[in-house]
Each structure stands twice: as structure tokens, then as C-alpha cells.
Amino acid sequence: MENKVQQLITEGVTLKREGDLEGALNCYLQAIDIDPTNMKLFISIGKTAHLLKQQNLAARCYLAATHLMLEPIERTIHQPDQLPSYLQMAYGQFTEEELRQLPRKSAFAILIDSNTPRHVAHSMVDLSPDIMEKRTDLMPFAEIYRASILGDGSHGNVLNRYGYTPDDQMTIDKEFYIPSGQKFLMADVQWDQLDRQNVTDIYF
């Protein structure tokens, strides 16, 4: 099973870089049917859905990935010393008051994650015409992000075309996209179902 999943993922990555996004998505969907709790695979589907401008699918995939990240944390959060060391350190930096303001204590993990919140925010913002019409300043960064997840080597060229640097991209992500994504995930994760791993039933 593991070999088949990896084979499909590898094929999907190749097809995505070649521009066959539908083919890549099909590979990833076949893989998730075999391994429906593969968090990284949901991220890959989400990014490919973004490239295909399938906002709803992208958002659901990022929610599923976040749910799968949170589920083991939720199981052990009552015994923080059982968390992996890097999570123990991060958890210890939050005050009890800060933790009480979260939907669940395990939600602290969303606040230390810059990856999934960034991806989901780009999908929710960049693929929303109404938002982009009002925030025309984000249009270059939407295209830069698209090039970065496409993985076809065009990212640097797109940055140069707009006169931006990787640091500029990181700054807009840090100041706008990541906080927006964290807010979305906090609101839309199904917190009352974190004891379940069947994310395809929960989010799709």
C-alpha cells in the first residue's frame, strides 16, 4: 500500500511540474483513497486544487490536513510532557489565559504553523474575485505564490517581473496571509470531532 501511494505521489508531482494539473490531481485523489489520513497528501491536493482554481476543494483539504495535525495533539494535550519536544517548548510559551481564548488548547499548534495557514489563506483570498478587486496590491503576490507552488522553475522569474524578492514574499505572508489563514482554520476546524480521523467524512 505504501509503495503504491508513494508511486502515485511521485507521478502527481511530475505531472504538476509538467503542467498537467488535472492528471496530478487524479493521482493525488487515488492516493488519498488508499491512505485517507495522510496529512501531507491533503496539502498536495490543496495546492493542486488552488492551481486549478478550485477554491472549495483547496479549503477543505487544508482543513482536513489541519484536523489530522491536531488530532494526536488533542489526545495528549492533558499531558503536555507527552508531546514531542518541539511542541512542548511551543506550548510552554502560551499563558493559561491565552490558551483559554482558543477553541481547544490543541489549537496553539495552528498559531505556530506558518505552512497550512499560508496555503489556505492564499486560496481563500487569491481565488476570491471580490477580495482581489479591492486588494489589487495583492495581485502580484497571488501570482508569485502560484508560481512557487507550481514548482516548474518560474518562481524566480515571476518575482523579478514584479521587482520583488523572496523576503518581500515572506513579509506579506507573515503580515497578512498567515494570520488570515490562522483565523480561518480556528473558525472552521470541526473541534468537536477531533477524536475522529475520518476527515473525508467530516470535511467533504
Side-chain angles (χ1 to χ4, degrees):
M1 181 182 78
E2 185 175 339
N3 288 341
K4 179 61 175 177
V5 169
Q6 189 55 53
Q7 179 184 345
L8 287 165
I9 292 172
T10 300
E11 184 178 353
V13 170
T14 300
L15 290 172
K16 180 167 72 74
R17 288 175 177 169
E18 292 174 350
D20 184 359
L21 300 177
E22 293 284 0
L25 181 60
N26 183 55
C27 286
Y28 294 145
L29 291 175
Q30 288 182 61
I32 209 69
D33 280 342
I34 301 170
D35 188 5
T37 59
N38 189 320
M39 182 180 72
K40 291 182 179 179
L41 188 48
F42 275 111
I43 297 290
S44 294
I45 298 172
K47 289 192 284 189
T48 307
H50 178 97
L51 292 168
L52 287 165
K53 299 184 178 180
Q54 296 184 21
Q55 184 186 60
N56 186 270
L57 176 59
R60 291 174 185 273
C61 285
Y62 294 133
L63 284 165
T66 301
H67 186 112
L68 291 169
M69 173 191 72
L70 292 168
E71 186 268 336
I73 299 174
E74 180 69 14
R75 273 192 280 112
T76 55
I77 196 69
H78 61 288
Q79 293 180 303
D81 60 331
Q82 299 299 311
L83 293 170
S85 57
Y86 76 97
L87 287 177
Q88 288 184 42
M89 291 179 61
Y91 182 71
Q93 294 176 2
F94 288 84
T95 66
E96 280 299 320
E97 178 59 30
E98 289 171 330
L99 292 170
R100 278 195 294 270
Q101 294 177 17
L102 301 176
R104 294 282 182 89
K105 286 186 176 182
S106 58
F108 84 93
I110 292 175
L111 298 177
I112 65 170
D113 177 20
S114 61
N115 188 40
T116 308
R118 177 174 72 98
H119 291 312
V120 73
H122 272 285
S123 290
M124 299 310 295
V125 173
D126 300 354
L127 301 181
S128 294
D130 291 347
I131 296 177
M132 297 305 287
E133 185 177 343
K134 296 175 183 175
R135 291 294 308 270
T136 55
D137 58 306
L138 296 176
M139 288 183 178
F141 293 102
E143 189 173 345
I144 290 166
Y145 170 77
R146 178 182 172 82
S148 72
I149 63 171
L150 185 57
D152 65 347
S154 63
H155 181 229
N157 291 334
V158 177
L159 277 170
N160 290 336
R161 187 196 318 155
Y162 287 107
Y164 288 120
T165 67
D167 284 345
D168 294 323
Q169 183 182 7
M170 289 176 60
T171 296
I172 193 69
D173 279 343
K174 182 177 180 180
E175 294 181 353
F176 176 73
Y177 282 103
I178 292 172
S180 298
Q182 290 169 338
K183 183 177 180 180
F184 173 83
L185 294 171
M186 289 287 188
D188 284 62
V189 163
Q190 297 301 301
W191 297 100
D192 60 340
Q193 300 192 58
L194 276 188
D195 59 331
R196 300 167 57 198
Q197 285 191 324
N198 56 329
V199 291
T200 53
D201 292 334
I202 297 171
Y203 296 101
F204 296 90

